């Protein structure tokens, strides 16, 4: 076969000088990239360590969410822990997390890929799981209480990530989630109407009564996109491979049961910290556990 080299560079046949020079240049380039920390394994290790840096969540004295608070967006797992078939494991607790694109070592000057969000099972406030609640317009300011039906934006809390906002838009052929083919959810740098979200009560029969009432932290609610009126959803049967393992795919899709109520995959919690407790405030290691007594609603 003509394309197979049957001799190594030590045998002076053909372009032997060019082959030796090419191997020397390859080794020199490898040593230079290793010294500068540009190897793929070095960049991946640094990215993993940076994304897991802990971040302190905000605390509240009255249990209400306020603009400017640093929160985690958590979805409780399936309370039914029965395994009905091989590989059909119940959905675990998950938190909304930033999914950094794979490191492209071959072309470092390539444009950055879109930053998706996933549902990670690592429930600790860190660089990729902490977000800030910020006003969507000039009618609200930091420190005001977030209320049901009020538009807001979800921004990355880590300064190193820049000002990225949770974004969604209608489904197109080339703009949808990879596995479930639902409405995409990602992080963008521009703030617009497509980055506006609102909170709805989980019980559709009580939504009118709770309109403009303060949103209580650490309670289940519906996370709805203002433009498309689709709800933030955990795709429990679809997974996205990341540097931290397989994580749940996140979409904007409303899943209703026979009573026209949102299914558990659409129910989220805006989690705040507890004063004096530097660790994660809720015990989410086992789905179905009740909140501690001091975390019960007191209003």
């Amino acid at each position: 076969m003509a394309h197979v080299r049957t001799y190594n560079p030590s045998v002076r046949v053909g372009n032997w000088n060019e082959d030796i020079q090419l191997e020397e240049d390859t080794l020199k380039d490898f040593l230079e990239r290793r010294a500068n920390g540009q190897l793929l394994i070095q960049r991946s290790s640094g990215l993993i360590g940076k994304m897991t840096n802990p971040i302190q969540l905000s605390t509240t004295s009255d249990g209400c969410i306020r603009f400017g608070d640093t929160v985690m967006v958590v979805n409780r797992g399936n309370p039914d822990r029965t395994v009905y078939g091989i590989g059909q494991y119940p959905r675990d607790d998950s938190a909304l997390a930033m999914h950094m694109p794979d490191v492209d070592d071959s072309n470092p000057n390539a444009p950055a890929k879109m930053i998706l969000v996933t549902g990670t099972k690592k429930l600790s406030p860190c660089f990729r799981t902490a977000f800030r609640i910020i006003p969507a317009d000039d009618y609200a300011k930091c420190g005001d209480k977030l209320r049901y039906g009020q538009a807001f934006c979800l921004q990355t809390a880590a300064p190193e990530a820049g000002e990225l906002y949770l974004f969604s838009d209608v489904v197109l052929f080339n703009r949808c989630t990879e596995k479930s083919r639902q409405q995409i959810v990602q992080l963008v740098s521009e703030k617009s109407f497509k980055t506006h979200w609102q909170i709805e009560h989980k019980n559709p029969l009580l939504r009118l009564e709770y309109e403009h009432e303060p949103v209580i932290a650490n309670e289940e609610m519906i996370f709805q996109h203002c433009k498309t009126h689709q709800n933030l959803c955990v795709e429990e049967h679809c997974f996205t491979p990341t540097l931290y393992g397989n994580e749940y795919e996140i979409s904007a899709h409303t899943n209703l049961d026979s009573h026209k109520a949102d299914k558990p995959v659409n129910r989220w919690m805006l989690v705040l910290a507890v004063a004096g407790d530097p660790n994660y405030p809720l015990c989410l290691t086992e789905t179905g556990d009740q909140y501690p007594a001091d975390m019960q609603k007191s209003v």
Side-chain angles (χ1 to χ4, degrees):
M1 294 184 293
H3 64 279
V4 177
R5 189 179 69 179
T6 57
Y7 297 96
N8 56 40
S10 62
V11 179
R12 297 185 177 184
V13 177
N15 297 329
W16 59 271
N17 189 37
E18 288 81 356
D19 292 339
I20 293 177
Q21 189 65 37
L22 180 61
E23 291 193 1
E24 291 178 353
D25 292 342
T26 302
L27 179 59
K28 181 180 179 180
D29 180 67
F30 168 78
L31 296 176
E32 182 179 357
R33 290 161 68 90
R34 186 180 66 176
N36 296 332
Q38 296 179 350
L39 295 179
L40 178 60
I41 186 172
Q42 293 172 324
R43 297 173 62 185
S44 299
S45 300
L47 180 62
I48 292 176
K50 181 179 180 181
M51 295 289 284
T52 54
N53 290 335
I55 290 182
Q56 178 63 39
L57 300 181
S58 300
T59 59
T60 177
S61 58
D62 55 1
C64 297
I65 299 288
R66 287 177 168 80
F67 289 107
D69 285 346
T70 301
V71 302
M72 283 182 60
V73 186
V74 177
N75 178 272
R76 300 288 283 184
N78 193 342
D80 183 8
R81 311 307 296 173
T82 305
V83 179
Y84 292 99
I86 298 177
Q88 299 179 3
Y89 301 106
R91 187 184 75 262
D92 295 323
D93 303 323
S94 58
L96 194 68
M98 181 192 310
H99 170 40
M100 295 297 294
D102 295 336
V103 180
D104 187 4
D105 190 60
S106 61
N107 187 9
N109 297 323
K113 301 178 182 178
M114 61 181 180
I115 301 180
L116 298 176
V117 290
T118 57
T120 178
K121 300 179 183 179
K122 296 178 174 59
L123 303 176
S124 58
C126 61
F127 183 102
R128 60 191 303 254
T129 59
F131 296 90
R132 292 181 64 241
I133 304 291
I134 64 172
D137 48 43
D138 297 333
Y139 296 100
K141 60 182 182 295
C142 290
D144 293 345
K145 293 181 180 179
L146 176 65
R147 300 180 181 275
Y148 285 97
Q150 185 178 12
F152 68 95
C153 295
L154 199 66
Q155 183 189 64
T156 52
E160 298 85 353
E163 295 183 352
L164 301 179
Y165 303 92
L166 193 66
F167 166 93
S168 186
D169 202 357
V170 294
V171 177
L172 297 178
F173 177 76
N174 59 346
R175 188 177 61 203
C176 58
T177 55
E178 183 178 359
K179 304 292 181 60
S180 60
R181 312 301 294 178
Q182 302 293 351
Q183 185 172 312
I184 198 169
V185 179
Q186 62 189 48
L187 294 169
V188 297
S189 58
E190 295 183 2
K191 184 179 177 182
S192 65
F193 182 58
K194 298 176 183 178
T195 62
H196 291 187
W197 300 82
Q198 63 184 4
I199 299 299
E200 297 288 344
H201 197 272
K202 65 178 181 180
N203 189 345
L205 301 178
L206 299 177
R207 286 176 184 171
L208 289 178
E209 298 182 10
Y210 273 81
E211 194 75 17
H212 302 299
E213 291 294 322
V215 177
I216 305 300
N218 306 334
E219 288 191 356
E220 287 188 338
M221 60 193 71
I222 304 301
F223 212 91
Q224 188 177 89
H225 190 237
C226 290
K227 177 185 176 181
T228 61
H229 289 278
Q230 294 293 325
N231 300 336
L232 194 66
C233 174
V234 177
E235 300 293 343
E236 56 184 340
H237 301 299
C238 301
F239 296 89
T240 300
T242 69
L243 296 173
Y244 307 89
N246 288 334
E247 298 180 345
Y248 293 111
E249 189 175 71
I250 300 295
S251 68
H253 179 65
T254 303
N255 291 271
L256 302 178
D257 58 18
S258 59
H259 299 284
K260 302 297 182 181
D262 296 271
K263 292 183 177 180
V265 293
N266 285 132
R267 298 178 183 178
W268 298 83
M269 296 188 302
L270 295 178
V271 176
L272 292 179
V274 178
D277 184 6
N279 298 319
Y280 192 70
L282 297 181
C283 180
L284 294 177
T285 55
E286 294 185 4
T287 303
D289 289 350
Q290 298 296 324
Y291 302 155
D294 57 343
M295 291 298 298
Q296 296 294 335
K297 181 178 177 181
S298 59
V299 295

